[in-house]
Amino acid sequence: MQDFKFDTMPSNTADQSPDSSTTGMSLKDTELTLGLPGEAQVVIVGGKSCSKRGYSDTVDFRFRCCSGESSAKAEQVDWPGNEISGPGKAPDSKAQVVGWPPVRSVRKKALKSCKYVKVAVDGAPYLRKVDLEVHRSYQQLLMALETMFDCFTISSNDLEESKIMNPVNGAEYVPTYEDKDGDWMLVGDVPWNMFVESCKRVRLMKSSEAIGLAPRTPSCTSTT
Amino acid sequence: MSEDRNEMPEPEVDTRRREIAGVLTGEFQSPSPDQVLENVLENVLLFLTSRRDRNAVSLVCKSWYRAEALTRSDLFIGNCYAVSPRRAIERFRRVRSVVLKGKPRFADFNLMPPNWGAYFTPWVTAMATSYPWLEKVYLKRMFVTDRDLELLAQSFPAFKELVLVCCDGFGTSGLAGIASKCRQLRVLDLIEDEVTDDEVDWISCFPESGTCLESLIFDCIECPINFEALERLVARSPSLRKLRLNRYVSIGQLYRLMIRAPQLTHLGSGSFSSSDIVAQGDQEPDYISAFAACKSLVCLSGFREIIPDYLPAIYPVCANLTSLNFSYANINTEQLKSVICHCHKLQIFWVLDSVCDEGLQAVAATCKELRELRVFPIDAREDSEGPVSEVGLQAISEGCRKLQSILYFCQRMTNAAVIAMSKNCPDLVVFRLCIMGRHRPDHITGEPMDEGFGAIVMNCKKLTRLAISGLLTDKAFSYIGKYGKLVRTLSVAFAGDSDMGLKYVLEGCPKLQKLEIRDSPFGDAALRSGLHHYYNMRFLWMSSCRLSRQGCEEIARAMPGLVVEVIRNENEEDKDGFEILYMYRSLESPRIDAPEFVTIL
């Protein structure tokens, strides 16, 4: 496994420097609202010292304001409507013709699901992997994660409202991901397709550690 | 397929050798001169392997025909309906290896309704009694059942090699039969087949005491296998050189196999991904050293669900690779570059267009020995993004001068790049360009792609296979007819303006064997213009063109040695309408196993 680095790479939007006021606001905004835990879940307790495996000694999150980067991206596609809608790619302009282009269906099928990323959960001893191409929305992804790591419950249907919680120890988790540039972002900040394109791995991080991650600021989305 | 010439010859041939020896020493009563000649001929012909040469030999005279028939051990049947099993067996009595091809290639793209035919059953049934020494079977696009495989396994005690390419109709239970009963099995290659999951653990069916397996290829099998059994199998197969795993084998499991089989020359790496559940504290094995230990590895494929983090593991083998198949690996430009920069000896390279033009430029910069390139689309739709273009093609043409074969899917292309390739790569034998958007012109000039393809047939003097696409007028076909004198296989889709297009080709290309056309405006008049040539062809396929039933009937009447099939869409209401014309020469009367939607005229 790669060492995770949490200092951001230089980027064009880095002029949005860390800002303590927004940092303070971030956790509340990123918090998924409370939902009652579901049925009794098996708890995977981290017996091994896995919480920081592969991570740098100090986790240093640089704040990235989503208003700089993701609003630019968000312009292109409606959001959060994107979550409910389909793949979000432009609808086919022509009807697809049978057998064209001439690619064998075995190959087409094999390439359909080809975006595998590792999923780590703080405190769980196991890494899983998930195929992002199979899912169409953040909803579906969260549901899949819930099935995979059955120590969690994810409450409601709306990403804004749902919360990932371990009912046994009461810990709350925030889904985060590492993007192409090596930055750790909150899952749900960018339109689904963009997320699939740029996500390298997913980590369900304990809320207490998610300080400093880019907040899911509703203000970004209201501009679109 | 390997030719094993060091085997003990059959008793009859030995006798003949002794006879000849006897003649020379004067010990035996000399047989007639004709007999001697025939005996000598047979012994000479044993060394003749090329089937074209053999066909020529068989035409000299009756005696040569007989001698050739008795000594032909490799039977090649390019169209399973061109000749019946009985006729083949009556002529060639001592066959050791059979190649059989069934459905036409366009069936791969769902253009043919299922259950069309190409059944292996009549062949294996006939061979079971007539070819007791059969060793090798190679099938392409045939329908093979589990019972067929069972019969095969039971009937041929010396059976060594089974290769199934693009076949369907069988499942893991059929494979179990092969594994358990074919004790001399050296090769079991399943390539792009559709294999049903019968939930049978076929891997466990190989003999416990050790196998002579040299090649085991099952990367197309879409169901899990018993890994522990596979590990034990590899451990007791000391001759194993080729192993291609399916996507249900994780990289951790791959590691375990590699350390048991460092002698591998061909490896299909399975998923190249961690298994679904990996313990967080676990140290990952040293994949790099496992690859480094495989000093003979020359061919690498797989990567079916690649997690690109693992790519560096293959660096140690890159310098020796002659063949690399990344066509299931969703990797980007940078990831490709990190690998390809080491691959100086690469001759065969398959890749996805996810690597973009820049990735192809990197290939061109390093792979000076490249002979074959295939670039597949990660998103095979007409209006997809298209990350590769004429830029990549141009770069390849400039960097890979020894190129012989190319298959290139793209969304944008220019005549200039294709012309450049025709000049830079004079050794081209196969040129297949698929511009995915139908009727797309040169995206810079707006011109049809006629000049590009024209240059290919003009400048590439060795060209035998051509697939064209994009906006094409009859002019392109006139070029092909004029210059494509060696072209044997031609694929046409959404091209041409009028009957003239097809006429140019049928009148101009004397070597044409396989012609497959779809959605092009060619009608009955064009069809008629090929009457002089159809007996020299293996087949003609025309779908969604401008043919009428009458036109096809005319051909059927004019050419009794041709089987003319018109194939309806299963949903087609109109009993006279049809989608596909598929016609082929045959020594037999029309087949009786045709389904209801096929009419033989």
Side-chain angles (χ1 to χ4, degrees):
Chain A
M1 288 247 290
Q2 269 183 331
D3 279 329
F4 295 112
K5 294 200 178 3
F6 295 108
D7 33 331
T8 51
M9 312 255 272
S11 90
N12 293 333
T13 56
D15 45 341
Q16 273 84 31
S17 48
D19 179 342
S20 56
S21 60
T22 34
T23 308
M25 152 183 134
S26 71
L27 195 55
K28 268 277 176 260
D29 276 19
T30 60
E31 220 168 60
L32 305 169
T33 59
L34 191 61
L36 287 173
E39 60 278 15
Q41 305 283 359
V42 174
V43 175
I44 301 175
V45 177
K48 308 182 188 179
S49 61
C50 53
S51 51
K52 298 293 178 210
R53 194 194 93 78
Y55 294 3
S56 323
D57 292 8
T58 48
V59 166
D60 168 34
F61 292 98
R62 291 283 175 83
F63 169 72
R64 292 194 65 148
C65 173
C66 76
S67 59
E69 189 176 272
S70 34
S71 67
K73 292 176 185 175
E75 270 162 16
Q76 298 163 29
V77 186
D78 284 342
W79 193 91
N82 188 50
E83 282 178 71
I84 306 159
S85 67
K89 290 182 179 157
D92 296 345
S93 48
K94 301 184 195 175
Q96 298 293 325
V97 173
V98 172
W100 187 261
V103 175
R104 302 186 71 234
S105 40
V106 168
R107 181 174 282 283
K108 277 190 195 172
K109 237 191 295 174
L111 291 177
K112 258 200 191 140
S113 55
C114 59
K115 180 66 182 187
Y116 281 95
V117 295
K118 290 185 184 172
V119 182
V121 173
D122 287 359
Y126 295 103
L127 288 179
R128 302 297 297 265
K129 68 179 185 187
V130 70
D131 177 9
L132 296 180
E133 290 282 358
V134 159
H135 304 292
R136 299 287 173 93
S137 67
Y138 287 113
Q139 244 52 57
Q140 293 186 7
L141 175 63
L142 285 184
M143 281 179 354
L145 291 180
E146 187 178 18
T147 316
M148 252 187 242
F149 294 95
D150 48 12
C151 55
F152 294 123
T153 52
I154 295 166
S155 48
S156 76
N157 279 335
D158 180 354
L159 180 65
E160 284 280 284
E161 301 301 310
S162 61
K163 190 165 192 127
I164 305 178
M165 202 181 91
N166 181 334
V168 173
N169 61 19
E172 284 166 12
Y173 294 81
V174 168
T176 66
Y177 71 101
E178 183 183 358
D179 76 358
K180 271 201 282 215
D181 301 323
D183 301 319
W184 283 85
M185 318 277 284
L186 285 173
V187 168
D189 275 354
V190 299
W192 172 254
N193 287 324
M194 209 140 292
F195 165 71
V196 171
E197 163 63 30
S198 61
C199 170
K200 272 172 43 177
R201 70 194 86 239
V202 170
R203 177 181 163 204
L204 295 189
M205 203 178 277
K206 286 209 173 109
S207 301
S208 47
E209 293 184 24
I211 298 168
L213 272 186
R216 188 173 300 107
T217 44
S219 54
C220 296
T221 62
S222 61
T223 59
T224 54
Chain B
M1 291 185 290
S2 56
E3 280 292 288
D4 196 342
R5 289 260 155 236
N6 296 328
E7 286 170 21
M8 206 169 60
E10 280 187 63
E12 284 108 310
V13 177
D14 242 351
T15 313
R16 295 225 170 75
R17 289 210 170 114
R18 269 187 270 119
E19 278 176 12
I20 292 166
V23 165
L24 295 172
T25 60
E27 282 180 82
F28 289 78
Q29 178 153 44
S30 35
S32 72
D34 285 340
Q35 185 73 54
V36 171
L37 216 58
E38 204 161 297
N39 295 344
V40 170
L41 186 61
E42 278 173 31
N43 282 279
V44 169
L45 289 181
L46 282 176
F47 297 97
L48 204 64
T49 49
S50 147
R51 66 175 189 271
R52 292 204 175 95
D53 289 346
R54 284 191 156 268
N55 291 343
V57 160
S58 69
L59 294 175
V60 169
C61 64
K62 274 208 183 124
S63 147
W64 282 52
Y65 177 94
R66 271 197 308 271
E68 194 283 312
L70 281 175
T71 55
R72 189 180 295 216
S73 60
D74 300 341
L75 187 59
F76 175 92
I77 295 175
N79 175 1
C80 63
Y81 288 122
V83 65
S84 70
R86 215 179 91 220
R87 187 188 295 261
I89 286 170
E90 272 172 12
R91 178 174 169 186
F92 302 108
R93 305 282 175 120
R94 307 222 189 110
V95 164
R96 299 288 179 100
S97 121
V98 171
V99 174
L100 261 180
K101 298 189 181 181
K103 290 174 235 177
R105 199 179 71 96
F106 273 10
D108 286 355
F109 313 123
N110 301 329
L111 289 178
M112 183 91 101
N115 307 321
W116 171 82
Y119 301 105
F120 184 45
T121 307
W123 289 92
V124 66
T125 315
M127 293 192 302
T129 46
S130 305
Y131 291 154
W133 301 114
L134 191 66
E135 293 177 4
K136 303 180 195 178
V137 167
Y138 174 106
L139 304 178
K140 188 167 187 179
R141 293 197 187 94
M142 296 284 297
F143 187 87
V144 182
T145 64
D146 290 329
R147 281 190 75 188
D148 294 337
L149 293 177
E150 188 62 40
L151 185 58
L152 191 150
Q154 285 168 359
S155 313
F156 308 116
F159 195 73
K160 294 194 173 67
E161 291 187 23
L162 180 63
V163 180
L164 302 177
V165 180
C166 300
C167 296
D168 65 327
F170 64 100
T172 45
S173 44
L175 296 179
I178 298 284
S180 60
K181 300 206 177 69
C182 300
R183 300 261 138 181
Q184 310 295 323
L185 196 68
R186 292 193 204 152
V187 172
L188 179 57
D189 289 352
L190 305 165
I191 299 170
E192 298 192 41
D193 305 304
E194 272 195 46
V195 183
T196 331
D197 180 8
D198 301 325
E199 295 180 22
V200 170
D201 179 7
W202 60 282
I203 294 275
S204 296
C205 296
F206 285 95
E208 277 301 323
S209 55
T211 77
C212 13
L213 273 179
E214 294 170 13
S215 173
L216 180 62
I217 294 179
F218 63 94
D219 47 6
C220 61
I221 295 192
E222 287 293 312
C223 55
I225 46 125
N226 178 343
F227 178 74
E228 277 65 37
L230 177 63
E231 199 175 2
R232 287 195 300 275
L233 176 64
V234 169
R236 65 181 191 278
S237 304
S239 307
L240 196 65
R241 296 289 176 278
K242 302 185 187 181
L243 180 63
R244 289 189 1 204
L245 309 164
N246 72 359
R247 64 183 182 89
Y248 286 86
V249 179
S250 70
I251 192 170
Q253 292 172 328
L254 171 67
Y255 175 84
R256 284 160 62 179
L257 295 174
M258 287 180 74
I259 56 177
R260 287 192 181 281
Q263 77 278 11
L264 288 176
T265 57
H266 294 58
L267 176 65
S269 58
S271 68
F272 216 68
S273 175
S274 50
S275 53
D276 207 23
I277 307 179
V278 171
Q280 270 230 50
D282 275 2
Q283 271 295 86
E284 296 228 59
D286 186 359
Y287 300 122
I288 291 191
S289 69
F291 275 91
C294 291
K295 307 232 181 275
S296 313
L297 206 59
V298 292
C299 174
L300 194 52
S301 61
F303 310 105
R304 296 269 172 155
E305 295 175 356
I306 188 174
I307 291 180
D309 286 356
Y310 291 123
L311 261 183
I314 72 171
Y315 291 167
V317 296
C318 287
N320 283 331
L321 284 182
T322 54
S323 170
L324 178 57
N325 183 348
F326 270 156
S327 68
Y328 288 94
N330 183 1
I331 56 174
N332 61 29
T333 308
E334 288 314 309
Q335 288 156 351
L336 175 68
K337 276 177 163 178
S338 71
V339 170
I340 210 77
C341 61
H342 306 293
C343 301
H344 300 277
K345 290 192 188 163
L346 208 58
Q347 295 185 20
I348 299 173
F349 185 51
W350 293 21
V351 72
L352 286 175
D353 62 4
S354 58
V355 302
C356 304
D357 284 325
E358 209 190 315
L360 296 177
Q361 286 167 334
V363 174
T366 315
C367 305
K368 299 304 178 187
E369 298 299 315
L370 201 67
R371 303 284 194 272
E372 177 180 322
L373 174 68
R374 297 197 193 189
V375 181
F376 292 94
I378 197 166
D379 183 0
R381 292 176 307 146
E382 274 194 77
D383 40 12
S384 61
E385 271 291 314
V388 300
S389 70
E390 74 278 2
V391 172
L393 192 74
Q394 178 92 26
I396 293 289
S397 79
E398 287 166 8
C400 307
R401 297 300 177 107
K402 300 186 186 176
L403 201 65
Q404 293 172 359
S405 169
I406 184 164
L407 169 63
Y408 197 89
F409 283 85
C410 60
Q411 292 287 9
R412 305 183 304 286
M413 187 46 60
T414 62
N415 282 306
V418 179
I419 293 171
M421 177 157 273
S422 78
K423 293 186 179 154
N424 293 334
C425 304
D427 290 339
L428 274 177
V429 173
V430 173
F431 184 80
R432 299 159 69 191
L433 177 62
C434 182
I435 303 169
M436 292 192 274
R438 288 171 282 159
H439 310 297
R440 240 180 238 168
D442 177 322
H443 82 99
I444 291 184
T445 65
E447 300 268 302
M449 293 299 299
D450 298 340
E451 296 307 311
F453 286 105
I456 291 287
V457 283
M458 223 187 304
N459 298 331
C460 302
K461 310 264 193 271
K462 305 180 189 173
L463 197 78
T464 59
R465 182 170 180 184
L466 180 64
I468 62 180
S469 61
L471 180 65
L472 292 164
T473 71
D474 286 344
K475 192 129 209 279
F477 294 93
S478 75
Y479 286 137
I480 297 173
K482 185 166 180 199
Y483 298 106
K485 295 308 177 187
L486 296 183
V487 171
R488 292 206 298 263
T489 307
L490 179 63
S491 301
V492 177
F494 306 100
D497 304 318
S498 74
D499 284 345
M500 283 313 297
L502 183 53
K503 274 190 190 171
Y504 286 135
V505 167
L506 289 171
E507 287 167 4
C509 301
K511 299 281 185 189
L512 196 60
Q513 299 255 297
K514 303 185 251 183
L515 181 54
E516 44 191 30
I517 304 175
R518 66 167 292 182
D519 293 278
S520 301
F522 306 136
D524 299 337
L527 198 61
R528 254 178 264 126
S529 64
L531 285 170
H532 67 286
H533 189 61
Y534 292 139
Y535 281 152
N536 297 330
M537 290 178 64
R538 188 173 303 167
F539 71 81
L540 168 67
W541 164 298
M542 285 176 70
S543 60
S544 306
C545 297
R546 300 229 176 114
L547 301 172
S548 76
R549 191 172 168 126
Q550 256 173 305
C552 300
E553 280 168 355
E554 237 188 87
I555 304 292
R557 268 195 304 274
M559 308 197 72
L562 219 53
V563 172
V564 179
E565 297 192 11
V566 292
I567 301 166
R568 264 193 328 275
N569 227 325
E570 280 172 303
N571 304 323
E572 181 77 46
E573 290 296 321
D574 171 17
K575 293 292 174 194
D576 275 343
F578 65 95
E579 276 297 309
I580 304 164
L581 164 70
Y582 179 56
M583 61 191 212
Y584 49 90
R585 64 186 171 190
S586 176
L587 294 172
E588 314 299 334
S589 32
R591 61 193 181 109
I592 49 172
D593 61 3
E596 192 261 330
F597 51 82
V598 172
T599 309
I600 300 182
L601 302 176

